[in-house]
Amino acid sequence: MTRAIILVADSLGVGQAPDAEAFGDAGANTFHHIVQHMDKIGDPIKLPNLQKMGMFNICAEANNVTYPNLPEVDLIASYGYMAEISSGKDTPSGHWEMAGVPVLFEWGYFKEKQNSFPQHIIDQICHEAGVDGILANRHAPGTDVLTWFGEEHINTLKPICYTSVDSVFQVAAHEEHFGLERLYDFCLVARRVLDEHNIGRVIARPFVGEDVNTFKRTGNRKDFSVLPPAPTVLDKLFDAGGDVISIGKIADIYADQGITEKYKATGLEALIDKTIEQIKSTATEQTIIFTNLVNFDQDYGHRRDIVGYAKALEYFDSRIPELLACLTKQDVLYITADHGCDPTWPGTDHTREYVPVIAYGPSINAVNLGERSTFADLGQTLSKQFGLAQLDYGTSFWTDISK
């Protein structure tokens, strides 16, 4: 009997994927470019624990780069890097694929940069939700729309609706003036309307504050996702009587399917705290504790904040000893990502990259897993770890890492 703890370092790509050119991302490399930038400004990034877990080896092998200034260390974890076969570089595709179900169909997208949503869709959503209209209707970063439209939203109570290159319809609204539950209800209407257009996610983005100087997103974000197209490893463990504990936005990404418990937390510190709390308090067998560390992506990747991303990685690294100290003999900690979001890259969108896969546990070998052809290798490994039926995609590396 066993337990798995999965930490998704949201957007921590490790170099251009084999098909990156098709996405306009040839040359993107989230981790390496952060390291390079910190060296350039004279503040080298310090990640001693991730180094021992193979993080620098992963990026070096995936991209044929070197890190000559690093001290030599004994590696304590198995490590490799995974390519994505899903059609997009979005959050649901990455997460579903790592759980064994790649997205091999094309999502619907709102491709126009301005007037992104067709009028008939806006009219239908507004009519069914009982609002007078929307603001924005464009591609935009989530923080910018608050600056551009926040005060007008308070005055008109029209929700701020925007999108990106991902298959997404995002809605920002004031928690008090518009109302949090009203925002969720509006998003539920949008979710129903957009189902026929194959839009992956509708995201509620609540905020507070009274003017452009005080507007701030809250921790009450909620994603309204479509269901994965097939049972994931989470479903299979759930059906076998195991537990799947969601921390952060995991439950939203999987539309609550295959989830037995869910916990919200806001900020990197709180997400790690909640993960440690669950490691200490939950059953030590047939359990997945699944955490998305969203702040790497939303606070630093999309905002192209290189130094902020580096400091967040250093903070994460500083908490790793606490995480490892909580593990029982049969536990396995996996660290991975769902896509890239290179903060040195033009624009504010995700980047098509390899992602790391790290496996550590008291009963786990430290081996080089090399290049993996799909994120689904992680799902297949979890399936093998828990003695579940084989998934349709992926190749397990369980026999390679287990002693």
Side-chain angles (χ1 to χ4, degrees), residues 14-279:
V14 290
Q16 66 174 45
D19 58 357
E21 187 172 358
F23 291 82
D25 294 328
N29 193 329
T30 300
F31 182 74
H32 183 62
H33 287 158
I34 292 169
V35 173
Q36 279 188 318
H37 179 81
M38 299 308 289
D39 284 342
K40 183 178 180 180
I41 66 174
D43 186 17
I45 196 167
K46 302 172 184 65
L47 303 173
N49 296 297
L50 284 171
Q51 183 187 351
K52 288 191 293 185
M53 301 180 89
M55 189 66 196
F56 287 90
N57 298 67
I58 291 169
C59 204
E61 293 179 17
N63 301 277
N64 194 28
V65 297
T66 60
Y67 299 99
N69 297 323
L70 288 177
E72 290 190 14
V73 298
D74 292 327
L75 297 178
I76 62 172
S78 291
Y79 65 91
Y81 52 101
M82 303 188 295
E84 186 170 11
I85 61 173
S86 293
S87 61
K89 52 182 178 178
D90 54 277
T91 294
S93 295
H95 280 76
W96 296 356
E97 185 171 330
M98 73 176 70
V101 181
V103 175
L104 302 179
F105 56 84
E106 285 291 334
W107 292 110
Y109 297 95
F110 299 110
K111 295 182 179 180
E112 297 298 325
K113 301 296 184 181
Q114 302 283 345
N115 298 316
S116 302
F117 312 122
Q119 190 61 47
H120 70 278
I121 290 178
I122 297 172
D123 291 344
Q124 185 177 356
I125 293 172
C126 290
H127 173 73
E128 293 187 21
V131 302
D132 293 332
I134 66 169
L135 302 175
N137 189 11
R138 57 171 293 172
H139 283 229
T143 50
D144 287 349
V145 295
L146 302 187
T147 301
W148 299 338
F149 301 103
E151 292 182 355
E152 185 178 357
H153 163 72
I154 290 174
N155 292 330
T156 65
L157 295 184
K158 294 179 180 180
I160 304 167
C161 300
Y162 60 104
T163 188
S164 69
V165 297
D166 288 346
S167 180
V168 66
F169 183 93
Q170 303 200 67
V171 187
H174 199 283
E175 280 201 1
E176 297 161 4
H177 294 289
F178 190 84
L180 184 60
E181 291 305 318
R182 188 183 181 195
L183 170 59
Y184 291 162
D185 289 343
F186 181 90
C187 288
L188 282 170
V189 170
R191 175 70 276 165
R192 290 196 301 272
V193 171
L194 295 172
D195 278 348
E196 66 180 274
H197 301 281
N198 204 26
I199 301 302
R201 284 184 298 166
V202 174
I203 305 177
R205 296 283 198 175
F207 68 97
V208 293
E210 295 303 317
D211 55 43
V212 293
N213 297 313
T214 58
F215 289 147
K216 183 180 179 180
R217 286 175 170 177
T218 75
N220 291 319
R221 163 185 170 156
K222 186 172 178 60
D223 293 35
F224 299 83
S225 298
V226 296
L227 290 171
T232 69
V233 69
L234 310 185
D235 298 308
K236 293 182 181 296
L237 184 60
F238 178 94
D239 291 342
D243 290 314
V244 179
I245 298 169
S246 158
I247 299 174
K249 65 176 186 177
I250 292 295
D252 288 346
I253 293 168
Y254 291 93
D256 286 327
Q257 187 164 287
I259 306 295
T260 54
E261 298 177 41
K262 57 183 177 180
Y263 299 93
K264 290 288 188 182
T266 302
L268 194 57
E269 180 179 2
L271 287 162
I272 295 171
D273 286 346
K274 182 60 70 173
T275 302
I276 290 172
E277 176 187 310
Q278 290 303 307
I279 294 172

Side-chain angles (χ1 to χ4, degrees), residues 209-393:
E210 295 303 317
D211 55 43
V212 293
N213 297 313
T214 58
F215 289 147
K216 183 180 179 180
R217 286 175 170 177
T218 75
N220 291 319
R221 163 185 170 156
K222 186 172 178 60
D223 293 35
F224 299 83
S225 298
V226 296
L227 290 171
T232 69
V233 69
L234 310 185
D235 298 308
K236 293 182 181 296
L237 184 60
F238 178 94
D239 291 342
D243 290 314
V244 179
I245 298 169
S246 158
I247 299 174
K249 65 176 186 177
I250 292 295
D252 288 346
I253 293 168
Y254 291 93
D256 286 327
Q257 187 164 287
I259 306 295
T260 54
E261 298 177 41
K262 57 183 177 180
Y263 299 93
K264 290 288 188 182
T266 302
L268 194 57
E269 180 179 2
L271 287 162
I272 295 171
D273 286 346
K274 182 60 70 173
T275 302
I276 290 172
E277 176 187 310
Q278 290 303 307
I279 294 172
K280 290 179 176 179
S281 64
T282 60
T284 57
E285 55 186 40
Q286 300 303 95
T287 298
I288 291 176
I289 299 170
F290 202 170
T291 302
N292 178 282
L293 303 174
V294 66
N295 301 89
F296 293 123
D297 188 43
Q298 74 172 19
D299 294 347
Y300 308 112
H302 284 301
R303 298 185 188 186
R304 298 309 189 232
D305 182 353
I306 308 170
V307 174
Y309 206 136
K311 296 305 176 183
L313 284 171
E314 289 183 337
Y315 175 76
F316 174 49
D317 187 89
S318 75
R319 301 295 303 273
I320 287 176
E322 292 176 68
L323 287 159
L324 303 191
C326 300
L327 302 181
T328 69
K329 185 178 180 180
Q330 301 305 317
D331 286 345
V332 184
L333 170 67
Y334 298 96
I335 299 174
T336 189
D338 52 346
H339 49 69
C341 196
D342 187 340
T344 72
W345 210 242
T348 59
D349 297 316
H350 295 157
T351 42
R352 183 75 162 189
E353 298 184 49
Y354 288 117
V355 300
V357 57
I358 293 170
Y360 172 86
S363 300
I364 293 300
N365 291 313
V367 299
N368 185 348
L369 299 170
E371 180 178 352
R372 318 299 301 192
S373 61
T374 168
F375 294 6
D377 283 9
L378 177 57
Q380 199 71 268
T381 299
L382 291 165
S383 191
K384 186 73 172 178
Q385 178 182 343
F386 288 104
L388 304 171
Q390 184 169 318
L391 298 165
D392 290 337
Y393 295 91

